[in-house]
Amino acid sequence: MDSKRSAALFAQARELIPGGVNSPVRACRNVHADPLFIASARGAHLKTVDGEDFIDFLGSWGPMLLGHAHARVVAAIQRAAALGTSYGAPCEDEVELARVVCEALPSVEMVRMVNSGTEATMSALRLARAFTGRNKMVKFIGGYHGHGDAFLASAGSGVATFSIPGTPGVPAETVKDTLLAPYNDIDAVRALFEKDPGGIAAVFVEPVAGNMGLVLPQPGFLAGLRDLCTRYGALLVFDEVITGFRVDYRGAQGRFGIMPDLTTFGKIIGGGLPVGAYGGRADIMAHVAPQGEVYQAGTLSGNPLAMAAGIATLEVLRHSDYAGLESRVHAFVMELEEILRSKGVPVQIPHIASMFSVYFTEAPIVDFAHVQTTDQRLFEAFYKQMRAQGIFMAPSAFEANMLSFAHTDEDFSKALDAARSVRF
Ligand SMILES: *Cc1c(COP(=O)(O)O)cnc(C)c1O
């Protein structure tokens, strides 16, 4: 592949945009590659500015479960755009998207639209703190909830009872109330509650972790969190920004049968436009302004284009064959794992619904500490050789691949052929 124009654009971009990208992982630094600039996308395929065709395994990091430029979604956006792009006053589609979301997830009785997943989790945290009158929050090591200050804490050493900001620019006092536990470690969460029984406002969890690479919840983990939150009067917040409408139309909460108090959304519910949302129990959501006292606002929130794209996307998804896609992805993953194993490398490919991650390790993955021990050199070799053969995968072992209903059997078999010729 000859990515001359991508390279030229990246050189210009680095002069004008920090790192040349508007979101860091896009720069592909983890795998020591340069980003590709995309000119267009359709179905499961991307076309670069150099005219190269890629099978897209990244799905814009999650939103594109229907594939790119789905005819129904494009038509809905075009229709909406012709009617004006922002009103600063309510529109009918806001009510409709709220209704669709509330109908799909029984735990969500009321919902507020925002513009990104980051905004959704920041707002849900403020609401949880106001509702409980408590300040502390539990999150999981390697869990990602957007770039809000309070969430950007990583572990110190051992079980962290105090947090260290994961980035300069976040004052230590901003994350001092962020408590950390290893994913899947219910005993660690119990210990945090026992230490401060009346201090924890909320537990934030990705019900399927998708931002440390894909890590599945162990049996009993999510139910254990539900029990602890109920017992100690804390709110259980499922961050379903990835999993909402992806692991199941009813979200991870529907799939695993757990009722959180609050849920955050993003990615899919905007059909590829910038949207987030948070919702949950009506008695909690009633505290959001102007019904209640917790301030949260947005000039473009409930944007008519985004609402139209979201409604069209969810309408198609409601009639989509999730089980069929999951079994095709399962078959693909089993074959991919066998191909890689036959090359003598250790490999684990956890997967659920349309998500999977490729880890080069023998040990089954249960938390972020495990993920960090996986072989990054093998991953880089795999990523680069797949990309050189036209397969566009998540450019880091700490990210998940996101497949779509647009992926054909031919796309899968091309990816398997590419994997067969990888050399380690
Ligand atoms: C992507 C993501 C976010 C942040 O959403 P943005 O729209 O990128 O701000 C939050 N939580 C989870 C689980 C995510 O995957």
Side-chain angles (χ1 to χ4, degrees), residues 45 83 164 215 230:
H45 289 250
L83 300 174
I164 297 166
V215 179
T230 303

Side-chain angles (χ1 to χ4, degrees), residues 116-118 144-146 206 211 239 241-242 267:
S116 67
T118 293
Y144 182 67
H145 305 287
E206 293 174 74
N211 287 289
D239 184 350
V241 169
I242 288 179
K267 300 196 170 114

Side-chain angles (χ1 to χ4, degrees), residues 23 26 60-63 115-121 143-148 205-211 238-243 264-267 274-276 399 402:
S23 198
R26 288 181 204 168
S60 185
W61 307 89
N115 301 289
S116 67
T118 293
E119 238 187 283
T121 56
Y144 182 67
H145 305 287
H147 65 86
V205 65
E206 293 174 74
V208 172
N211 287 289
F238 271 13
D239 184 350
E240 298 230 36
V241 169
I242 288 179
T243 54
T264 54
F265 300 94
K267 300 196 170 114
V275 176
E399 304 287 352
M402 305 280 174

